[in-house]
Amino acid sequence: DTGVSQDPRHKITKRGQNVTFRCDPISEHNRLYWYRQTLGQGPEFLTYFQNEAQLEKSRLLSDRFSAERPKGSFSTLEIQRTEQGDSAMYLCASSLYWGQHTEAFFGQGTRLTVV
Amino acid sequence: AQRVTQPEKLLSVFKGAPVELKCNYSYSGSPELFWYVQYSRQRLQLLLRHISRESIKGFTADLNKGETSFHLKKPFAQEEDSAMYYCASRGGSEKLVFGKGTKLTVNP
């Protein structure tokens, strides 16, 4: 599968623990996006990167959340001191931007459950 | 702020019947509008975008700026169209703003 890959697919953690998710975008894509989806809702934007630069962050991204894309390839999303409200599907998407937008391809997501 | 509204959480039709999934947006400028689809156990994927004005899998969507709507239509629904459909907009920033989605069920 040469699409967007996310790892792990599922994560169960205890409240207060830290978790980290990984996203591997489609190889030639320079843009990478993180979204969060809770039950009954559509995906909500968290942040996006162009190459290694983080260009926009949502107000949903509290101080406990941090995202990186150190070499402009894969990205990690870390949540510190998890809370039950963090339970959600975390989606990653990538696209190629060259002055015009192209289609964003989504990964299958990481489902986080905080108990 | 951008907002996308999909008024129907669930929509059920019979095979061969016409289907229309409603989407309204609020944005003061000229946004780009999209429809995404998620089939059971599959990832979210782009169905169509308004700027391409194309028909995908028999679906079309027309942007109506007067009514700020981007409804998705298909004249004859098929069972394989059963899925979750999300309307999304992009305007003024790079992020997509999604509606809450409509679950379409096409009954045999």
Side-chain angles (χ1 to χ4, degrees):
Chain A
D1 187 356
T2 55
V4 178
S5 173
Q6 292 188 245
D7 183 70
R9 295 287 306 281
H10 304 272
K11 178 72 178 178
I12 300 174
T13 190
K14 289 185 178 177
R15 192 175 51 190
Q17 297 293 304
N18 299 345
V19 294
T20 300
F21 311 140
R22 177 179 170 124
C23 171
D24 286 90
I26 294 171
S27 58
E28 64 269 24
H29 285 182
N30 55 0
R31 284 206 168 169
L32 187 148
Y33 304 81
W34 285 99
Y35 287 83
R36 181 174 70 185
Q37 186 173 22
T38 52
L39 206 59
Q41 303 293 318
E44 295 174 292
F45 172 80
L46 292 178
T47 188
Y48 90 96
F49 294 83
Q50 178 151 320
N51 300 312
E52 66 276 7
Q54 188 173 18
L55 297 185
E56 188 175 348
K57 290 198 295 187
S58 163
R59 280 173 285 183
L60 291 175
L61 216 63
S62 76
D63 291 346
R64 298 184 296 106
F65 286 70
S66 62
E68 293 184 342
R69 195 182 182 199
K71 296 180 181 177
S73 57
F74 73 91
S75 175
T76 57
L77 177 68
E78 181 184 16
I79 309 174
Q80 296 183 323
R81 305 181 303 281
T82 51
E83 301 172 357
Q84 286 191 319
D86 297 332
S87 295
M89 177 73 88
Y90 289 84
L91 296 170
C92 177
S94 72
S95 69
L96 178 64
Y97 181 78
W98 45 277
Q100 291 194 28
H101 289 282
T102 60
E103 180 180 347
F105 291 84
F106 282 80
Q108 292 192 295
T110 293
R111 182 170 294 284
L112 173 66
T113 303
V114 181
V115 297
Chain B
Q2 284 186 76
R3 193 165 55 245
V4 174
T5 304
Q6 293 180 251
E8 303 134 332
K9 200 170 181 178
L10 303 170
L11 185 61
S12 183
V13 300
F14 285 104
K15 177 182 170 182
V19 63
E20 180 179 69
L21 291 89
K22 292 184 168 51
C23 171
N24 288 89
Y25 65 91
S26 66
Y27 179 63
S28 55
S30 296
E32 290 183 78
L33 277 299
F34 307 84
W35 277 99
Y36 280 81
V37 61
Q38 188 167 27
Y39 301 102
S40 179
R41 300 183 186 278
Q42 293 188 29
R43 63 189 69 195
L44 197 60
Q45 58 185 283
L46 180 66
L47 180 61
L48 54 79
R49 52 199 301 184
H50 88 274
I51 57 172
S52 59
R53 302 180 67 82
E54 58 192 341
S55 172
I56 303 291
K57 299 185 179 183
F59 284 98
T60 58
D62 289 320
L63 178 61
N64 185 322
K65 292 185 179 181
E67 295 183 358
T68 60
S69 69
F70 189 56
H71 302 328
L72 183 68
K73 299 177 185 178
K74 185 169 183 176
F76 307 105
Q78 303 299 313
E79 288 181 68
E80 55 266 29
D81 296 328
S82 294
M84 198 73 191
Y85 290 81
Y86 295 95
C87 182
S89 75
R90 179 170 58 211
S93 81
E94 301 303 312
K95 66 183 182 187
L96 288 168
V97 175
F98 287 86
K100 292 185 179 183
T102 298
K103 183 176 182 179
L104 174 66
T105 302
V106 181
N107 300 298

